[in-house]
Amino acid sequence: MKSKLFGVLLFIETVALIVAASVSSYYQDVAEETDLKCFLIPAAACFVIGSVLYLIGQRKNSKALKIKDSFQVVTFSWILFSLFGMMPFLLYGTMNNVSDAFFETMSGFSTTGATVIENIDDQPHGILFWRSLMQWLGGLGIIVFTLAFIPTVAKGSKKMVLFAAEAPGLSVEKLSPKMQNTARSLWIIYIILTVLCAFAYWLGDMNAFDAVCHAFTTIATGGFSTHQASIGYFQSSYIEYVCILFMILAGINFAIYFFAFTRRFDLVSRNEELRWYLALIVIFAAFYFGLFSFAGHFDGVTESQLAGMPQTWQDKLRTSLFHVVSLLSNTGYQAANFNYDNWGLLFVIPTLFLMVIGGCAGSTSGGIKVIRVIVLCKYMKMALKEFVHPTGMYNIKISKQSVDTSSVRMVCIFLSLFILVFMVNLFLLTATGMTLENAMAAFLTCFSNFGPGSGLTGPNGTFAAVPTAAKWILSLDMLLGRLEIFTVIMLFTKSFWKDM
């Protein structure tokens, strides 16, 4: 069964490579670009190896996937996709080594948006389109796509486990009793949002190519752009506001749209995570606006830092909103006024804080998710009450529903693992030669699937100068963040490999 599923997944990547090849073929005719073979060769390799794996799976006495098989399939499918997905970059010469190519591709499929490319504007349209398409496929999930449109490939298996391993935190049981219908509904919503976003961009200062590519990476909250200056390249307030709107929409649990479409408005109105998410946007946008307005009154802020901040109140408002939404949705786009490193530590600390939080569970955002922050805050509040009134009976309620003890325990375990992984990464990354500050920012941005970090990897730079060993470590961090630790880390436990 595993071989068959891997084969089908490679067929999907083959189709994706052919779509990119079609774009490359068009621009070969109109702009004499030469990257067509860079997609045809890996597409052929993908198809051949996918066919072999599929036939092996067919000939074997295929059994339904066990729980441990589901976690293996999800983890290794992302690695497999990245191995084939990096081939166009190597064949064209965008990168000249495997480390950079794998880093860029994992960043794409995991919707991180961290890049090693320092000349994005010089890349051919096929390569630029492939970067965007990778993020769009990874946004909602490769396995989710397979369950939506090729459900028979995992016939008899625990599809809920497959789904949860790739998109943890989503209350799929509330959408539909059939996993196929749930996955398909989510992908339809995803496609509709992408089309609307592309149309809105096209109405502004983007051509059709830029509009489609940016729609892919906006709804996927990936952040890859067709220009080195990102959204700031267009110097358009309209484009920035459109981007803000769709980043907000992409950071919301996609189940909310399903509930709204099926007229279950009571579930929408009482969704506490949605209210917290929107409240965080408003509160921190106002906070940044206040910092921009009164930064001159702080002793630690220099004249050069003040000069790098937005000057008019309209620019302060738009920059504040764009920055906060880009952070919370973990998109990582950069607007016209983008370099938060130049604003000083006063701005960097809350930037890293919002980056780690991320968007809602069940969205395309990264981070630890708003729902976990809610649970943690309410758990601490309950603990304080129990300390003052030890005989009292308390429980945690979210969206007017009690949260069971096991869910609270899983949140605490997740946050504990996050801290442990963070500390291990600081040790490993500094061992490669990175400074403590750069190592901390690089880990947080890669694990949160945000993109730009701070300092060496900040908004005005790339990950090109990061040591080779660190790129492999950070690539694993992207996967850990995208699959939310548990799916990957289970593969490293002895008990996981026992018969289940």
Side-chain angles (χ1 to χ4, degrees), residues 283-294:
I283 292 169
F284 276 93
F287 174 75
Y288 273 93
F289 182 84
L291 285 181
F292 286 134
S293 300
F294 298 102

Side-chain angles (χ1 to χ4, degrees), residues 27 73 137 170 324 365 405 419 441-442:
Y27 283 99
V73 166
L137 285 173
L170 179 62
V324 169
S365 301
T405 306
I419 294 171

